[in-house]
Amino acid sequence: MRNYKTLPTLFTILFFLSCQGQSGTAQSGGIRWMSFEEAVKASDANPKKIFIDVYTDWCGWCKRMDAGT
């Protein structure tokens, strides 16, 4: 019977430990937004994939994605 009382406590501790690891990335700078030209220059020095976000006000799929994310 004692194991059932400690189980929620264990899950709570594990949950808070996992949240602590995720908050470290936000404190280390987060997303650095840059123009396309800046991204190409940065990619020349340090080759990485570039994510380009395109959005229009009239696009139905853009509105659906914006509402769902």
Side-chain angles (χ1 to χ4, degrees):
M1 216 50 189
R2 186 174 183 209
N3 290 339
Y4 293 113
K5 292 180 182 179
T6 59
L7 197 58
T9 305
L10 177 64
F11 283 130
T12 304
I13 291 171
L14 291 174
F15 173 75
F16 283 115
L17 287 175
S18 67
C19 291
Q20 182 182 11
Q22 293 174 358
S23 66
T25 51
Q27 293 174 353
S28 66
I31 297 173
R32 181 172 171 241
W33 299 101
M34 58 179 76
S35 69
F36 181 74
E37 291 80 15
E38 292 172 337
V40 171
K41 287 180 185 177
S43 181
D44 288 340
N46 187 11
K48 291 184 179 181
K49 293 182 179 181
I50 300 173
F51 180 79
I52 301 172
D53 182 27
V54 179
Y55 180 85
T56 63
D57 292 330
W58 51 265
C59 176
W61 289 108
C62 295
K63 291 179 183 180
R64 184 174 181 181
M65 182 181 67
D66 191 35
T69 57

